[in-house]
Amino acid sequence: MSLQRYLIKRLLVMIPVLFGVTVLTFSLTKMLPGSPVDYILQFQETTPGLREQLEAQYNLNEPIYVQYWLWLRDAMMLDFGQSIISDRSVSDAIVGRLPKTLLLGGAGFAIAICIGIPLGVLAAVNNGNTIDEVSRVGALLGIATPNFWLGLMLLLVFSVQLGFFRVIPPADVGVLSPAMLKFIILPAITLGTASSALIMRLTRSSMVEELNKDYVRTARAKGLSERTVIVKHVLRNSMVSVVTVAAIQVAFIVNGSVVIEQVFSWPGVGRLLIDAITQRDFPVLQAIVLMIAVTIVFVNLIADLLYSWLDPRIRY
């Protein structure tokens, strides 16, 4: 199967997957206790007919299948409606916070890759030595440590006590501004620690398996330098399983950013999601959950496309 045919096939398969995601997203939000109208009425003087008026305004008085169809029809046009609480466009609310969430997620993923893969290679090359044992213990600690607790400890030590880093970026600091660096370091380290530990363990195990194969002995017998054998042959062949786990870690980082943004008061989509859950702001909640699901689906597709580039033996 050619790459184009494989890509078309995967895109067609994604249609029922995304449809199922929309059904689950809409159904789960409707299962939440309470109603956005109840939240609004807490801050307004209740008048006769006000509840019915608000429910009619946001189609909450329609049957559940009608509400789903109206929402799905608009979502397919990338129109997620207005926020019930702020009366602001949902798309504008998300786009306004998306750059900071992308910065946090990208920084956390970069830390996971830049720490996990080199340490995994180092541990595999020194298999059974002290370096290997220390790295394995460090990986276990990284996986076992809750990210919210790690974030609180980093805040306490490096921000509160030592004052090295600030936490909440001012609104006038651009996402790509050098001044943003002192705000992003602690959240990014917190977000990327567990993923780097998992990637390190997988890189090590994959490379240890590859180092025992015949082609490695043949390459060494031909006089290739150890660096060439490790980097050009062993590491590349070990990356297929690492890419798979890295794609899964994108989902972990996306979900973890919700918690990390709360811990560090980071003004991103994660905090917007928590506010939407608290306030029963269904349009915002449904749009963010759908966006996260679509992101994870497409990241897995990209990971599948990378397989044949990493290992020419793989064909679509």
Side-chain angles (χ1 to χ4, degrees):
M1 185 183 297
S2 66
L3 176 59
Q4 290 181 343
R5 290 182 60 191
Y6 175 78
L7 183 58
I8 293 173
K9 181 180 178 180
R10 283 297 304 270
L11 290 175
L12 291 175
V13 170
M14 286 169 59
I15 294 175
V17 172
L18 293 178
F19 175 74
V21 167
T22 62
V23 173
L24 286 175
T25 300
F26 189 85
S27 302
L28 291 175
T29 54
K30 292 301 180 181
M31 292 171 60
L32 289 173
S35 165
V37 174
D38 296 331
Y39 185 86
I40 295 174
L41 293 178
Q42 293 179 6
F43 306 99
Q44 294 188 12
E45 182 179 353
T46 304
T47 58
L50 179 59
R51 174 179 291 273
E52 291 74 13
Q53 179 184 348
L54 291 173
E55 289 178 348
Q57 179 180 350
Y58 298 108
N59 298 317
L60 298 176
N61 58 343
E62 300 287 350
I64 187 70
Y65 61 88
V66 174
Q67 295 183 43
Y68 171 73
W69 165 246
L70 293 174
W71 174 75
L72 180 62
R73 182 195 63 186
D74 294 337
M76 288 190 295
M77 304 299 295
L78 300 181
D79 180 10
F80 298 101
Q82 303 291 119
S83 168
I84 296 177
I85 304 302
S86 65
D87 201 31
R88 182 186 179 190
S89 169
V90 173
S91 299
D92 291 343
I94 294 176
V95 170
R97 297 200 182 201
L98 189 59
K100 286 187 171 62
T101 294
L102 291 177
L103 175 64
L104 176 60
F109 188 73
I111 287 175
I113 296 296
C114 294
I115 293 179
I117 293 179
L119 287 182
V121 173
L122 186 64
V125 172
N126 296 277
N127 184 26
N129 295 341
T130 303
I131 295 178
D132 182 29
E133 297 297 330
V134 171
S135 63
R136 291 167 67 181
V137 172
L140 288 175
L141 290 175
I143 294 173
T145 303
N147 56 6
F148 67 88
W149 181 86
L150 177 61
L152 291 174
M153 293 301 102
L154 291 177
L155 273 175
L156 178 63
V157 175
F158 294 101
S159 181
V160 176
Q161 295 184 352
L162 299 179
F164 290 164
F165 301 101
R166 297 174 63 185
V167 179
I168 305 175
D172 58 346
V173 176
V175 173
L176 300 180
S177 171
M180 182 63 74
L181 185 62
K182 59 185 176 182
F183 299 100
I184 193 63
I185 288 179
L186 293 185
I189 291 175
T190 305
L191 189 59
T193 298
S195 295
S196 65
L198 187 60
I199 290 174
M200 190 278 287
R201 292 192 66 185
L202 184 63
T203 303
R204 175 195 172 277
S205 61
S206 299
M207 286 200 61
V208 168
E209 181 180 354
E210 291 292 327
L211 284 169
N212 292 324
K213 292 186 176 180
D214 293 336
Y215 77 88
V216 177
R217 288 189 287 269
T218 301
R220 287 169 173 165
K222 291 171 64 176
L224 294 179
S225 65
E226 189 68 13
R227 180 177 180 179
T228 302
V229 173
I230 297 297
V231 176
K232 187 175 181 181
H233 298 285
V234 178
L235 180 59
R236 182 167 182 172
N237 290 334
S238 303
M239 283 295 101
V240 174
S241 57
V242 175
V243 166
T244 303
V245 172
I248 297 174
Q249 291 308 298
V250 170
F252 174 81
I253 287 175
V254 170
N255 295 328
S257 64
V258 177
V259 178
I260 301 305
E261 288 183 10
Q262 284 295 110
V263 172
F264 288 91
S265 298
W266 187 261
V269 176
R271 291 195 69 194
L272 183 63
L273 175 62
I274 296 298
D275 292 340
I277 294 173
T278 304
Q279 300 169 355
R280 302 297 185 267
D281 196 348
F282 290 162
V284 176
L285 176 58
Q286 291 162 350
I288 294 176
V289 173
L290 182 61
M291 181 190 70
I292 292 173
V294 170
T295 301
I296 293 171
V297 169
F298 275 97
V299 166
N300 282 296
L301 173 61
I302 294 172
D304 288 344
L305 296 177
L306 286 174
Y307 290 158
S308 66
W309 178 74
L310 291 170
D311 191 345
R313 296 171 296 180
I314 297 177
R315 291 293 179 266
Y316 295 104

